Every structure is written in structure tokens, then in C-alpha cells.
Amino acid sequence: MTAHAKDLAVDVRGLRKQYGDVTAVDGIDLGIRQGEVFGLLGPNGAGKTTTVEILQGNRSRDAGEVSVLGVDPETATRAWRSRVGIVWQDESAPAELTVRETVRHFSRYYRRPRDPEEVIGLVGLQEKAGSRIKALSGGQRRRLDVALGVIGGPELLLLDEPTTGFDPAARRQFWELIRKLADEGTTILLTTHYLEEAEALAHRLAVVAHGHVVAEGEPAALRDRHGSEATVEWTEPDGTPRSEHTKTPTRTVAELTHRFDGEIPGLRVSRPTLEDVYLRLTGQENAR
Ligand code: ATP
């Protein structure tokens, strides 16, 4: 472990996991700082869920060092589990109970739970507090799952594809919830397929492909580092559209300004989006 390991909520070195002939995780390194929202991004089968399950202590590993809140999840105790919030995809809460009854019930598993009413408010389910679980929509259900993940007052919240299946409005509401939790100081790891989700929420992110990290950093820095070339487009006087990929777009525009002696017809300067960078990094450039 590094000299800074004690500042890291999650410290992973050389993680490997094999399922028979399939190498799901092929040497992942990750360092998640306390208090940050970290996005794990990658295409289907990249190894995200396997990694999160190992961090949760729900799956064994074949190699590597893993420290989550200073503890190896393979040797996890009940005390450690109460510090790590896990949001299950298919929480088996009894469908006949109300939201309030369920959150209260789960709070009893913890020594120092958060106030159930406050948590219900935090996830925006106050108006549904008296509704039975079976009457909740998919998005409301997911909010309840998060409520159950945070009722113990975890220091670290692990979320595997939390917004899959959400409509755009529900996704945005969910982002607000994640921001609120982050503002309270909770460290959050979330996996996602959605670029805009990672960009909206994550302080830093790692792009995973074929079981290893192919890029890591702040979203804007990743875009700059891996997609530094801009595209300058314009139209020649005879109507021919032209474009140039360049690291110095300002100079290109200055040259064109001089040549056209004023306004440049059809001028457009664009930089690669994080999505372009992501597709390139994960080898899916031709995906769109
Ligand atoms: P997705 O975005 O589709 O959820 P992921 O990045 O979470 O994918 P994993 O679920 O970790 O990826 O899967 C990584 C690889 O391991 C895939 O090839 C998958 O088929 C395989 N795999 C995952 N779980 C198992 C398992 N229990 N048994 C066998 N193979 C598995």
C-alpha cells in the first residue's frame, strides 16, 4: 500500500478475478479518496460489478490487495459492514410493508442508525412514507433501496448501476440525492454506463475495459488528456466544406481570418466530448 493509503477510502492494487476461463478483472488498481464521488465506467462485461462485489465482501478474489475503509473485505466483521452502505439491485423487502415500516425495520440492524424519517426525506419519499412497497414505481423503489443502503449511516456507499431503467427525470432526481449524500461527506463509488451521469456526479472516474483501468482522472482532465485535438470546420468561397484536426485551433482560426479577411463562412470549432474519448478508450469508436 502507498504512503497515502490511510487517506484512501478504497485502495485496490492488482486485483484479479477469474470465472473459469473468463478473466473478469485483470489487474485493476483504484484509489478512492475519502469524501469523493468516484465513477467506475465501462461497457458490458468490463468487470465493474465483479469489482464492486469484491469491495463489498460478497465475492472472493484470485489476486491483489484490497483495502476498504482500512479493512480487507475478505476478513470483514459486522462492525465494518455497518460502515459500508450497499444498495442491492433486488432488495428483498417485504412487499406488504410500508416505506416507513421498512426503513424503521432495517434501522434496527444498526447500532447507530440515522433517523428513519430523515432518511425517508433525504431520498424524497416523504409523500410515499405510508405506501406499501408493492405500490411504488421502479424509481421510487430504487430510492427506497438507497434509503436502506444509507440508514446505517455508512461512511462509504457502493452503488452498482443505480439508475439503470430510470427515465430522464428520475435520473436527475437521483443525481440530486447522490449530491446531497456527498455533501454530507459520504464517499460514493458508483458504476454506470452513462457518460453524462459520470460527468455530472463524479469528482474522478476510472474507465474500465476488458478487466483493467484504461484511463483515470477528473472528467474534464480525461477529455483534455485523451482528446486534445480540436476540429475546425469552415466553408470555402466556392462552397466546399473543409475541416482540420489540430492541437492549435486558435492559430488555424487566425490564419483563416487573415485569408478570408474577416468573417469565416460556416466556422465551427469543436472539441471531442467525453463520449468520444470514452468510445476511443474502450475500443468502441465505431459504435455510433
Ligand atoms: P455490465 O455492465 O454488463 O454489468 P460489468 O462491467 O459489471 O458488466 P461483470 O458483471 O463484472 O462486468 O462481468 C465481467 C465478466 O465476467 C463478463 O464476461 C461476465 O460474463 C463474467 N461473469 C460475471 N459474473 C460471472 C459469474 N458469476 N460466473 C461466470 N462469469 C461471470
Side-chain angles (χ1 to χ4, degrees):
M1 301 271 154
T2 65
H4 303 293
K6 67 179 177 12
D7 301 325
L8 295 176
V10 174
D11 196 2
V12 172
R13 310 276 148 168
L15 181 63
R16 284 178 189 279
K17 176 70 186 178
Q18 193 97 18
Y19 297 108
D21 293 342
V22 177
T23 304
V25 178
D26 193 13
I28 280 189
D29 294 328
L30 281 181
I32 304 176
R33 297 173 196 142
Q34 302 211 14
E36 81 178 339
V37 179
F38 193 94
L40 204 54
L41 206 65
N44 288 128
K48 305 180 298 296
T49 299
T50 301
T51 302
V52 172
E53 287 172 348
I54 291 169
L55 298 181
Q56 292 170 341
N58 291 327
R59 199 170 279 292
S60 64
R61 61 186 188 263
D62 295 327
E65 287 178 79
V66 179
S67 166
V68 176
L69 301 178
V71 172
D72 182 338
E74 280 191 353
T75 64
T77 58
R78 202 166 160 197
W80 176 84
R81 290 199 172 272
S82 72
R83 297 168 64 204
V84 180
I86 296 175
V87 176
W88 302 100
Q89 298 270 5
D90 52 350
E91 188 65 60
S92 51
E96 295 300 327
L97 290 186
T98 67
V99 167
R100 179 175 287 118
E101 286 164 348
T102 306
V103 177
R104 284 198 178 149
H105 174 74
F106 275 78
S107 74
R108 293 190 197 109
Y109 293 142
Y110 298 94
R111 213 179 306 163
R112 277 189 294 274
R114 295 179 66 143
D115 173 34
E117 290 305 318
E118 186 217 327
V119 168
I120 290 169
L122 180 72
V123 300
L125 283 178
Q126 350 15 1
E127 279 157 30
K128 293 283 170 187
S131 302
R132 290 186 201 283
I133 294 179
K134 64 181 183 188
L136 298 179
S137 73
Q140 290 162 346
R141 185 58 227 251
R142 207 80 189 102
R143 284 158 173 263
L144 175 63
D145 292 341
V146 174
L148 302 182
V150 300
I151 187 67
E155 294 160 50
L156 170 71
L157 187 61
L158 300 170
L159 296 161
D160 191 17
E161 293 180 23
T163 62
T164 297
F166 278 25
D167 67 33
R171 176 165 296 127
R172 260 151 229 282
Q173 283 169 1
F174 196 85
W175 292 357
E176 283 311 309
L177 167 59
I178 297 301
R179 290 194 185 110
K180 268 196 252 177
L181 290 166
D183 286 347
E184 289 180 353
T186 312
T187 306
I188 298 170
L189 167 65
L190 70 105
T191 74
T192 182
H193 290 158
Y194 301 111
L195 253 310
E196 84 275 21
E197 182 157 284
E199 203 163 20
L201 291 179
H203 301 123
R204 288 191 309 134
L205 54 89
V207 178
V208 184
H210 309 297
H212 45 252
V213 174
V214 292
E216 187 178 347
E218 292 174 13
L222 273 186
R223 191 177 40 219
D224 292 348
R225 198 178 324 138
H226 296 278
S228 55
E229 286 210 345
T231 304
V232 180
E233 294 164 277
W234 71 94
T235 311
E236 289 293 339
D238 66 359
T240 312
R242 292 277 308 275
S243 68
E244 189 176 304
H245 298 295
T246 173
K247 288 194 169 162
T248 53
T250 308
R251 185 185 301 162
T252 304
V253 172
E255 284 163 8
L256 287 169
T257 308
H258 182 69
R259 180 149 75 78
F260 280 90
D261 195 20
E263 278 302 303
I264 308 160
L267 177 66
R268 202 173 102 98
V269 181
S270 54
R271 298 215 176 249
T273 62
L274 192 57
E275 182 159 355
D276 297 327
V277 171
Y278 168 80
L279 291 174
R280 200 177 306 154
L281 286 169
T282 56
Q284 305 175 94
E285 272 159 296
N286 302 322
R288 51 178 197 171

